[in-house]
Amino acid sequence: MEHLLHYVWKHKLFPLKVLQTTNGLPVEVIDPGLQNPNAGPDFFNAKLKIDGALWVGNIEIHTHSSDWFRHGHHSDKAYDSVILHVVSEADTEITRSNGEQIPQLLLTCPENVQLHYHELCVADHYPACYPILVSLPKLTIHSWLTALQTERLEQKAQLITQRLKHCNSNWEDAFFITLARNFGFGLNGDAFETWAGLLPFRAMDKHRNDLFQIEAFFYGLAGLLEETFLKKEQEDEYSLRLCKEFRYLQRKFEIGQGMDATLWRFLRLRPENFPHIRLAQLAYLYQKGDKLFSRLLEAETLADVRALLDTRTSPYWENHYLFGRLSSQKEKTMGERSKDLIIINTVVPFLYTYGLHKADERMCERAGRFLEELKAESNHIIRSWSDAGLPVVSAADSQALIQLQKEYCDKRKCLYCRFGYEYLRKK
């Protein structure tokens, strides 16, 4: 209910009668203020007239007046600037930290807003606001999708910044860990990130020119060479050589044990997505050239980026998907669609984050341009919005809609969504 009161206050959906405080003083809302998404009063810098006197300050909104005391605002000086307490049920008087009484306004949510908001929350169809989407002006759709795209990039930039701190601000290491996570393509993402966090990058750099030794590092730390995972019947000359090489590298660089191999998931995976194959491709990519991220920064076109991400495997994996089990001969390259997903989820966010850190607008613009040039992703989220009548052309559109679904629809934050607002307004 409190979220609905926020919505009613923000959009001034007041009843068609004179607003009054609980003490009977007339209230005129000149400006409801700026909504605050963080700690502190709910709206900043509101302008009101109470009994003809102009007030400028903050607004706090609760379902019950007593929530003011329940949340400890009466003893918090950050709330002394509140000039009006808006509630749907006034069950007590409230005060500032100095004991001074604060005016209260009893505000009810219009019945039609409550009804249509309830429809949004309980609707079985998906997305719930689909009836009004086809009637929205193109400018409304474009501006909201653009805002969502930026919001998603900002969210990813925060995650990358956190990862950078763990990597002592080494962009190359943080990039490879992010790249590894996205090589898991969802199902094994967490496992790949756990594995990449164990990699001794400076030690591996000393052996970068030897693909076999890089594979020994990779498979050993992935736990895939351990006796508890590598069955006796799967042992072959190649896996035994890798085991021996990894033990040598462990001693040489004082490397700890690898991860728990049971974290890797194989169920319902196509063989091309098995961790063994993705690790082999990552090893090839790592060994292929130094400073991958630095070279990507210099890539001006998508064709340049795709060329840098070209990868395959060592010869052993051309006729294996698992250790010791022969399969038909096939070069294990990464498909163009998979490569584009890597660009969307790794390269673009890193270009954007690097641009923010270096105050380089060109990098941020390049990230946006790449999203506009890439085809939209294909998944159930994108298909549902496309079926509802929204045009989904580029990866910029699909990324915006993924953000919309995950951060607004799934969390039932319809009141903060422009489509939800239009739904309530039009209904």
Side-chain angles (χ1 to χ4, degrees), residues 103-133:
Q104 297 191 92
L105 172 69
L106 192 63
L107 184 64
T108 56
C109 181
E111 187 176 337
N112 68 313
V113 173
Q114 289 193 52
L115 175 64
H116 296 137
Y117 178 66
H118 180 69
E119 288 176 1
L120 278 177
C121 288
V122 302
D124 290 330
H125 42 255
Y126 185 77
C129 56
Y130 83 96
I132 57 97
L133 293 178

PDB file of all heavy atoms in Angstrom, residues 103-133:
ATOM      1  N   PRO A 103       2.960  18.282  10.812  1.00  0.00           N
ATOM      2  CA  PRO A 103       1.624  18.149  10.193  1.00  0.00           C
ATOM      3  C   PRO A 103       1.502  16.831   9.429  1.00  0.00           C
ATOM      4  O   PRO A 103       2.482  16.336   8.861  1.00  0.00           O
ATOM      5  CB  PRO A 103       1.567  19.338   9.228  1.00  0.00           C
ATOM      6  CG  PRO A 103       2.632  20.275   9.665  1.00  0.00           C
ATOM      7  CD  PRO A 103       3.696  19.446  10.310  1.00  0.00           C
ATOM      8  N   GLN A 104       0.288  16.297   9.414  1.00  0.00           N
ATOM      9  CA  GLN A 104       0.033  15.051   8.694  1.00  0.00           C
ATOM     10  C   GLN A 104      -1.123  15.242   7.722  1.00  0.00           C
ATOM     11  O   GLN A 104      -2.075  15.975   7.998  1.00  0.00           O
ATOM     12  CB  GLN A 104      -0.305  13.914   9.664  1.00  0.00           C
ATOM     13  CG  GLN A 104       0.821  13.567  10.615  1.00  0.00           C
ATOM     14  CD  GLN A 104       0.550  12.278  11.354  1.00  0.00           C
ATOM     15  OE1 GLN A 104       0.960  11.213  10.901  1.00  0.00           O
ATOM     16  NE2 GLN A 104      -0.142  12.357  12.484  1.00  0.00           N
ATOM     17  N   LEU A 105      -1.016  14.551   6.583  1.00  0.00           N
ATOM     18  CA  LEU A 105      -2.069  14.587   5.569  1.00  0.00           C
ATOM     19  C   LEU A 105      -2.604  13.184   5.377  1.00  0.00           C
ATOM     20  O   LEU A 105      -1.843  12.245   5.120  1.00  0.00           O
ATOM     21  CB  LEU A 105      -1.513  15.122   4.244  1.00  0.00           C
ATOM     22  CG  LEU A 105      -2.442  15.032   3.033  1.00  0.00           C
ATOM     23  CD1 LEU A 105      -3.621  15.993   3.196  1.00  0.00           C
ATOM     24  CD2 LEU A 105      -1.692  15.350   1.741  1.00  0.00           C
ATOM     25  N   LEU A 106      -3.896  13.033   5.512  1.00  0.00           N
ATOM     26  CA  LEU A 106      -4.538  11.742   5.275  1.00  0.00           C
ATOM     27  C   LEU A 106      -4.823  11.641   3.778  1.00  0.00           C
ATOM     28  O   LEU A 106      -5.590  12.437   3.228  1.00  0.00           O
ATOM     29  CB  LEU A 106      -5.835  11.656   6.087  1.00  0.00           C
ATOM     30  CG  LEU A 106      -6.500  10.286   6.179  1.00  0.00           C
ATOM     31  CD1 LEU A 106      -5.600   9.305   6.889  1.00  0.00           C
ATOM     32  CD2 LEU A 106      -7.840  10.407   6.909  1.00  0.00           C
ATOM     33  N   LEU A 107      -4.187  10.676   3.112  1.00  0.00           N
ATOM     34  CA  LEU A 107      -4.322  10.534   1.662  1.00  0.00           C
ATOM     35  C   LEU A 107      -4.746   9.111   1.330  1.00  0.00           C
ATOM     36  O   LEU A 107      -4.121   8.140   1.769  1.00  0.00           O
ATOM     37  CB  LEU A 107      -2.988  10.852   0.976  1.00  0.00           C
ATOM     38  CG  LEU A 107      -2.967  10.842  -0.553  1.00  0.00           C
ATOM     39  CD1 LEU A 107      -3.875  11.933  -1.112  1.00  0.00           C
ATOM     40  CD2 LEU A 107      -1.541  11.027  -1.068  1.00  0.00           C
ATOM     41  N   THR A 108      -5.797   8.989   0.561  1.00  0.00           N
ATOM     42  CA  THR A 108      -6.260   7.670   0.143  1.00  0.00           C
ATOM     43  C   THR A 108      -5.906   7.456  -1.326  1.00  0.00           C
ATOM     44  O   THR A 108      -5.838   8.407  -2.101  1.00  0.00           O
ATOM     45  CB  THR A 108      -7.784   7.524   0.320  1.00  0.00           C
ATOM     46  OG1 THR A 108      -8.438   8.567  -0.405  1.00  0.00           O
ATOM     47  CG2 THR A 108      -8.156   7.612   1.791  1.00  0.00           C
ATOM     48  N   CYS A 109      -5.688   6.222  -1.679  1.00  0.00           N
ATOM     49  CA  CYS A 109      -5.372   5.872  -3.063  1.00  0.00           C
ATOM     50  C   CYS A 109      -6.685   5.757  -3.839  1.00  0.00           C
ATOM     51  O   CYS A 109      -7.587   5.035  -3.400  1.00  0.00           O
ATOM     52  CB  CYS A 109      -4.605   4.563  -3.104  1.00  0.00           C
ATOM     53  SG  CYS A 109      -4.146   4.043  -4.763  1.00  0.00           S
ATOM     54  N   PRO A 110      -6.813   6.462  -4.975  1.00  0.00           N
ATOM     55  CA  PRO A 110      -8.057   6.359  -5.760  1.00  0.00           C
ATOM     56  C   PRO A 110      -8.395   4.911  -6.077  1.00  0.00           C
ATOM     57  O   PRO A 110      -7.509   4.094  -6.349  1.00  0.00           O
ATOM     58  CB  PRO A 110      -7.725   7.149  -7.039  1.00  0.00           C
ATOM     59  CG  PRO A 110      -6.652   8.098  -6.625  1.00  0.00           C
ATOM     60  CD  PRO A 110      -5.845   7.375  -5.591  1.00  0.00           C
ATOM     61  N   GLU A 111      -9.690   4.622  -6.044  1.00  0.00           N
ATOM     62  CA  GLU A 111     -10.139   3.230  -6.220  1.00  0.00           C
ATOM     63  C   GLU A 111      -9.708   2.654  -7.564  1.00  0.00           C
ATOM     64  O   GLU A 111      -9.312   1.494  -7.651  1.00  0.00           O
ATOM     65  CB  GLU A 111     -11.664   3.172  -6.084  1.00  0.00           C
ATOM     66  CG  GLU A 111     -12.210   1.752  -6.083  1.00  0.00           C
ATOM     67  CD  GLU A 111     -13.714   1.714  -5.853  1.00  0.00           C
ATOM     68  OE1 GLU A 111     -14.243   2.689  -5.275  1.00  0.00           O
ATOM     69  OE2 GLU A 111     -14.337   0.712  -6.254  1.00  0.00           O
ATOM     70  N   ASN A 112      -9.762   3.476  -8.635  1.00  0.00           N
ATOM     71  CA  ASN A 112      -9.397   2.946  -9.959  1.00  0.00           C
ATOM     72  C   ASN A 112      -7.912   2.617 -10.033  1.00  0.00           C
ATOM     73  O   ASN A 112      -7.501   1.659 -10.693  1.00  0.00           O
ATOM     74  CB  ASN A 112      -9.772   3.942 -11.062  1.00  0.00           C
ATOM     75  CG  ASN A 112      -8.936   5.205 -11.015  1.00  0.00           C
ATOM     76  OD1 ASN A 112      -8.756   5.795  -9.958  1.00  0.00           O
ATOM     77  ND2 ASN A 112      -8.436   5.631 -12.159  1.00  0.00           N
ATOM     78  N   VAL A 113      -7.061   3.400  -9.322  1.00  0.00           N
ATOM     79  CA  VAL A 113      -5.625   3.111  -9.292  1.00  0.00           C
ATOM     80  C   VAL A 113      -5.373   1.802  -8.557  1.00  0.00           C
ATOM     81  O   VAL A 113      -4.592   0.955  -9.003  1.00  0.00           O
ATOM     82  CB  VAL A 113      -4.839   4.266  -8.638  1.00  0.00           C
ATOM     83  CG1 VAL A 113      -3.378   3.877  -8.456  1.00  0.00           C
ATOM     84  CG2 VAL A 113      -4.942   5.536  -9.477  1.00  0.00           C
ATOM     85  N   GLN A 114      -6.046   1.618  -7.416  1.00  0.00           N
ATOM     86  CA  GLN A 114      -5.904   0.368  -6.664  1.00  0.00           C
ATOM     87  C   GLN A 114      -6.322  -0.833  -7.502  1.00  0.00           C
ATOM     88  O   GLN A 114      -5.633  -1.856  -7.538  1.00  0.00           O
ATOM     89  CB  GLN A 114      -6.763   0.420  -5.395  1.00  0.00           C
ATOM     90  CG  GLN A 114      -6.260   1.357  -4.316  1.00  0.00           C
ATOM     91  CD  GLN A 114      -6.969   1.119  -2.999  1.00  0.00           C
ATOM     92  OE1 GLN A 114      -7.035   0.002  -2.522  1.00  0.00           O
ATOM     93  NE2 GLN A 114      -7.501   2.181  -2.419  1.00  0.00           N
ATOM     94  N   LEU A 115      -7.448  -0.686  -8.195  1.00  0.00           N
ATOM     95  CA  LEU A 115      -7.990  -1.780  -8.990  1.00  0.00           C
ATOM     96  C   LEU A 115      -7.035  -2.162 -10.115  1.00  0.00           C
ATOM     97  O   LEU A 115      -6.704  -3.337 -10.302  1.00  0.00           O
ATOM     98  CB  LEU A 115      -9.349  -1.388  -9.567  1.00  0.00           C
ATOM     99  CG  LEU A 115      -9.989  -2.395 -10.534  1.00  0.00           C
ATOM    100  CD1 LEU A 115     -10.293  -3.698  -9.808  1.00  0.00           C
ATOM    101  CD2 LEU A 115     -11.257  -1.807 -11.147  1.00  0.00           C
ATOM    102  N   HIS A 116      -6.558  -1.169 -10.857  1.00  0.00           N
ATOM    103  CA  HIS A 116      -5.717  -1.455 -12.014  1.00  0.00           C
ATOM    104  C   HIS A 116      -4.309  -1.888 -11.603  1.00  0.00           C
ATOM    105  O   HIS A 116      -3.664  -2.658 -12.316  1.00  0.00           O
ATOM    106  CB  HIS A 116      -5.673  -0.241 -12.937  1.00  0.00           C
ATOM    107  CG  HIS A 116      -7.026   0.098 -13.518  1.00  0.00           C
ATOM    108  ND1 HIS A 116      -7.500   1.383 -13.602  1.00  0.00           N
ATOM    109  CD2 HIS A 116      -8.012  -0.714 -13.987  1.00  0.00           C
ATOM    110  CE1 HIS A 116      -8.712   1.359 -14.133  1.00  0.00           C
ATOM    111  NE2 HIS A 116      -9.047   0.105 -14.371  1.00  0.00           N
ATOM    112  N   TYR A 117      -3.858  -1.387 -10.451  1.00  0.00           N
ATOM    113  CA  TYR A 117      -2.573  -1.859  -9.944  1.00  0.00           C
ATOM    114  C   TYR A 117      -2.688  -3.331  -9.550  1.00  0.00           C
ATOM    115  O   TYR A 117      -1.790  -4.131  -9.829  1.00  0.00           O
ATOM    116  CB  TYR A 117      -2.132  -1.023  -8.751  1.00  0.00           C
ATOM    117  CG  TYR A 117      -0.828  -1.478  -8.149  1.00  0.00           C
ATOM    118  CD1 TYR A 117       0.361  -1.386  -8.871  1.00  0.00           C
ATOM    119  CD2 TYR A 117      -0.777  -2.017  -6.867  1.00  0.00           C
ATOM    120  CE1 TYR A 117       1.556  -1.820  -8.334  1.00  0.00           C
ATOM    121  CE2 TYR A 117       0.411  -2.449  -6.324  1.00  0.00           C
ATOM    122  CZ  TYR A 117       1.583  -2.339  -7.059  1.00  0.00           C
ATOM    123  OH  TYR A 117       2.769  -2.777  -6.531  1.00  0.00           O
ATOM    124  N   HIS A 118      -3.809  -3.694  -8.945  1.00  0.00           N
ATOM    125  CA  HIS A 118      -4.028  -5.085  -8.578  1.00  0.00           C
ATOM    126  C   HIS A 118      -4.065  -5.957  -9.836  1.00  0.00           C
ATOM    127  O   HIS A 118      -3.517  -7.066  -9.850  1.00  0.00           O
ATOM    128  CB  HIS A 118      -5.343  -5.221  -7.799  1.00  0.00           C
ATOM    129  CG  HIS A 118      -5.659  -6.626  -7.382  1.00  0.00           C
ATOM    130  ND1 HIS A 118      -4.928  -7.298  -6.418  1.00  0.00           N
ATOM    131  CD2 HIS A 118      -6.607  -7.508  -7.817  1.00  0.00           C
ATOM    132  CE1 HIS A 118      -5.411  -8.513  -6.259  1.00  0.00           C
ATOM    133  NE2 HIS A 118      -6.431  -8.670  -7.098  1.00  0.00           N
ATOM    134  N   GLU A 119      -4.674  -5.443 -10.906  1.00  0.00           N
ATOM    135  CA  GLU A 119      -4.715  -6.184 -12.169  1.00  0.00           C
ATOM    136  C   GLU A 119      -3.308  -6.460 -12.682  1.00  0.00           C
ATOM    137  O   GLU A 119      -3.010  -7.553 -13.168  1.00  0.00           O
ATOM    138  CB  GLU A 119      -5.488  -5.383 -13.222  1.00  0.00           C
ATOM    139  CG  GLU A 119      -6.994  -5.333 -12.979  1.00  0.00           C
ATOM    140  CD  GLU A 119      -7.696  -4.445 -13.995  1.00  0.00           C
ATOM    141  OE1 GLU A 119      -7.001  -3.891 -14.885  1.00  0.00           O
ATOM    142  OE2 GLU A 119      -8.917  -4.284 -13.903  1.00  0.00           O
ATOM    143  N   LEU A 120      -2.436  -5.452 -12.578  1.00  0.00           N
ATOM    144  CA  LEU A 120      -1.052  -5.626 -13.025  1.00  0.00           C
ATOM    145  C   LEU A 120      -0.350  -6.712 -12.224  1.00  0.00           C
ATOM    146  O   LEU A 120       0.413  -7.512 -12.762  1.00  0.00           O
ATOM    147  CB  LEU A 120      -0.277  -4.310 -12.875  1.00  0.00           C
ATOM    148  CG  LEU A 120      -0.430  -3.255 -13.970  1.00  0.00           C
ATOM    149  CD1 LEU A 120       0.351  -2.010 -13.596  1.00  0.00           C
ATOM    150  CD2 LEU A 120       0.049  -3.775 -15.312  1.00  0.00           C
ATOM    151  N   CYS A 121      -0.611  -6.731 -10.922  1.00  0.00           N
ATOM    152  CA  CYS A 121       0.115  -7.651 -10.043  1.00  0.00           C
ATOM    153  C   CYS A 121      -0.350  -9.098 -10.174  1.00  0.00           C
ATOM    154  O   CYS A 121       0.442 -10.019  -9.965  1.00  0.00           O
ATOM    155  CB  CYS A 121      -0.029  -7.197  -8.589  1.00  0.00           C
ATOM    156  SG  CYS A 121       0.916  -5.702  -8.223  1.00  0.00           S
ATOM    157  N   VAL A 122      -1.622  -9.301 -10.492  1.00  0.00           N
ATOM    158  CA  VAL A 122      -2.138 -10.672 -10.493  1.00  0.00           C
ATOM    159  C   VAL A 122      -2.364 -11.218 -11.896  1.00  0.00           C
ATOM    160  O   VAL A 122      -2.743 -12.378 -12.053  1.00  0.00           O
ATOM    161  CB  VAL A 122      -3.467 -10.770  -9.695  1.00  0.00           C
ATOM    162  CG1 VAL A 122      -3.262 -10.309  -8.275  1.00  0.00           C
ATOM    163  CG2 VAL A 122      -4.577  -9.976 -10.380  1.00  0.00           C
ATOM    164  N   ALA A 123      -2.109 -10.377 -12.910  1.00  0.00           N
ATOM    165  CA  ALA A 123      -2.398 -10.816 -14.287  1.00  0.00           C
ATOM    166  C   ALA A 123      -1.578 -12.053 -14.648  1.00  0.00           C
ATOM    167  O   ALA A 123      -0.401 -12.155 -14.330  1.00  0.00           O
ATOM    168  CB  ALA A 123      -2.088  -9.682 -15.263  1.00  0.00           C
ATOM    169  N   ASP A 124      -2.231 -12.985 -15.316  1.00  0.00           N
ATOM    170  CA  ASP A 124      -1.548 -14.208 -15.752  1.00  0.00           C
ATOM    171  C   ASP A 124      -0.777 -13.978 -17.042  1.00  0.00           C
ATOM    172  O   ASP A 124       0.221 -14.635 -17.296  1.00  0.00           O
ATOM    173  CB  ASP A 124      -2.565 -15.340 -15.967  1.00  0.00           C
ATOM    174  CG  ASP A 124      -3.160 -15.820 -14.654  1.00  0.00           C
ATOM    175  OD1 ASP A 124      -2.445 -15.735 -13.640  1.00  0.00           O
ATOM    176  OD2 ASP A 124      -4.310 -16.267 -14.656  1.00  0.00           O
ATOM    177  N   HIS A 125      -1.292 -13.058 -17.900  1.00  0.00           N
ATOM    178  CA  HIS A 125      -0.599 -12.823 -19.163  1.00  0.00           C
ATOM    179  C   HIS A 125       0.735 -12.139 -18.913  1.00  0.00           C
ATOM    180  O   HIS A 125       0.955 -11.520 -17.883  1.00  0.00           O
ATOM    181  CB  HIS A 125      -1.475 -12.010 -20.126  1.00  0.00           C
ATOM    182  CG  HIS A 125      -2.206 -10.884 -19.474  1.00  0.00           C
ATOM    183  ND1 HIS A 125      -3.545 -10.938 -19.217  1.00  0.00           N
ATOM    184  CD2 HIS A 125      -1.772  -9.682 -19.008  1.00  0.00           C
ATOM    185  CE1 HIS A 125      -3.921  -9.805 -18.632  1.00  0.00           C
ATOM    186  NE2 HIS A 125      -2.869  -9.041 -18.487  1.00  0.00           N
ATOM    187  N   TYR A 126       1.598 -12.191 -19.907  1.00  0.00           N
ATOM    188  CA  TYR A 126       2.997 -11.829 -19.690  1.00  0.00           C
ATOM    189  C   TYR A 126       3.546 -11.193 -20.945  1.00  0.00           C
ATOM    190  O   TYR A 126       3.557 -11.836 -21.981  1.00  0.00           O
ATOM    191  CB  TYR A 126       3.729 -13.147 -19.409  1.00  0.00           C
ATOM    192  CG  TYR A 126       5.163 -13.052 -19.028  1.00  0.00           C
ATOM    193  CD1 TYR A 126       5.531 -12.678 -17.758  1.00  0.00           C
ATOM    194  CD2 TYR A 126       6.171 -13.365 -19.944  1.00  0.00           C
ATOM    195  CE1 TYR A 126       6.862 -12.646 -17.399  1.00  0.00           C
ATOM    196  CE2 TYR A 126       7.496 -13.335 -19.591  1.00  0.00           C
ATOM    197  CZ  TYR A 126       7.840 -12.971 -18.311  1.00  0.00           C
ATOM    198  OH  TYR A 126       9.158 -12.936 -17.950  1.00  0.00           O
ATOM    199  N   PRO A 127       3.880  -9.896 -20.901  1.00  0.00           N
ATOM    200  CA  PRO A 127       3.827  -8.992 -19.744  1.00  0.00           C
ATOM    201  C   PRO A 127       2.405  -8.493 -19.444  1.00  0.00           C
ATOM    202  O   PRO A 127       1.565  -8.451 -20.340  1.00  0.00           O
ATOM    203  CB  PRO A 127       4.721  -7.828 -20.187  1.00  0.00           C
ATOM    204  CG  PRO A 127       4.599  -7.832 -21.669  1.00  0.00           C
ATOM    205  CD  PRO A 127       4.466  -9.265 -22.092  1.00  0.00           C
ATOM    206  N   ALA A 128       2.190  -8.096 -18.203  1.00  0.00           N
ATOM    207  CA  ALA A 128       0.848  -7.761 -17.749  1.00  0.00           C
ATOM    208  C   ALA A 128       0.276  -6.513 -18.422  1.00  0.00           C
ATOM    209  O   ALA A 128      -0.933  -6.397 -18.605  1.00  0.00           O
ATOM    210  CB  ALA A 128       0.860  -7.568 -16.230  1.00  0.00           C
ATOM    211  N   CYS A 129       1.127  -5.568 -18.813  1.00  0.00           N
ATOM    212  CA  CYS A 129       0.647  -4.300 -19.356  1.00  0.00           C
ATOM    213  C   CYS A 129       0.508  -4.340 -20.878  1.00  0.00           C
ATOM    214  O   CYS A 129       0.384  -3.287 -21.520  1.00  0.00           O
ATOM    215  CB  CYS A 129       1.590  -3.162 -18.957  1.00  0.00           C
ATOM    216  SG  CYS A 129       3.307  -3.438 -19.460  1.00  0.00           S
ATOM    217  N   TYR A 130       0.489  -5.535 -21.457  1.00  0.00           N
ATOM    218  CA  TYR A 130       0.497  -5.638 -22.924  1.00  0.00           C
ATOM    219  C   TYR A 130      -0.664  -4.921 -23.614  1.00  0.00           C
ATOM    220  O   TYR A 130      -0.500  -4.449 -24.737  1.00  0.00           O
ATOM    221  CB  TYR A 130       0.530  -7.114 -23.342  1.00  0.00           C
ATOM    222  CG  TYR A 130      -0.815  -7.792 -23.370  1.00  0.00           C
ATOM    223  CD1 TYR A 130      -1.531  -7.891 -24.557  1.00  0.00           C
ATOM    224  CD2 TYR A 130      -1.381  -8.314 -22.215  1.00  0.00           C
ATOM    225  CE1 TYR A 130      -2.780  -8.493 -24.600  1.00  0.00           C
ATOM    226  CE2 TYR A 130      -2.623  -8.914 -22.247  1.00  0.00           C
ATOM    227  CZ  TYR A 130      -3.328  -9.002 -23.424  1.00  0.00           C
ATOM    228  OH  TYR A 130      -4.554  -9.586 -23.459  1.00  0.00           O
ATOM    229  N   PRO A 131      -1.875  -4.775 -23.000  1.00  0.00           N
ATOM    230  CA  PRO A 131      -2.977  -4.157 -23.745  1.00  0.00           C
ATOM    231  C   PRO A 131      -2.702  -2.741 -24.218  1.00  0.00           C
ATOM    232  O   PRO A 131      -3.268  -2.301 -25.220  1.00  0.00           O
ATOM    233  CB  PRO A 131      -4.141  -4.183 -22.735  1.00  0.00           C
ATOM    234  CG  PRO A 131      -3.823  -5.291 -21.801  1.00  0.00           C
ATOM    235  CD  PRO A 131      -2.325  -5.250 -21.677  1.00  0.00           C
ATOM    236  N   ILE A 132      -1.833  -2.009 -23.517  1.00  0.00           N
ATOM    237  CA  ILE A 132      -1.636  -0.598 -23.891  1.00  0.00           C
ATOM    238  C   ILE A 132      -0.348  -0.373 -24.685  1.00  0.00           C
ATOM    239  O   ILE A 132      -0.096   0.731 -25.160  1.00  0.00           O
ATOM    240  CB  ILE A 132      -1.654   0.317 -22.643  1.00  0.00           C
ATOM    241  CG1 ILE A 132      -0.586  -0.122 -21.618  1.00  0.00           C
ATOM    242  CG2 ILE A 132      -3.031   0.304 -21.991  1.00  0.00           C
ATOM    243  CD1 ILE A 132       0.685   0.611 -21.671  1.00  0.00           C
ATOM    244  N   LEU A 133       0.483  -1.411 -24.840  1.00  0.00           N
ATOM    245  CA  LEU A 133       1.788  -1.210 -25.465  1.00  0.00           C
ATOM    246  C   LEU A 133       1.689  -0.744 -26.913  1.00  0.00           C
ATOM    247  O   LEU A 133       2.432   0.145 -27.338  1.00  0.00           O
ATOM    248  CB  LEU A 133       2.615  -2.495 -25.388  1.00  0.00           C
ATOM    249  CG  LEU A 133       3.043  -2.941 -23.987  1.00  0.00           C
ATOM    250  CD1 LEU A 133       3.808  -4.262 -24.057  1.00  0.00           C
ATOM    251  CD2 LEU A 133       3.892  -1.877 -23.302  1.00  0.00           C
TER     252      LEU A 133
END
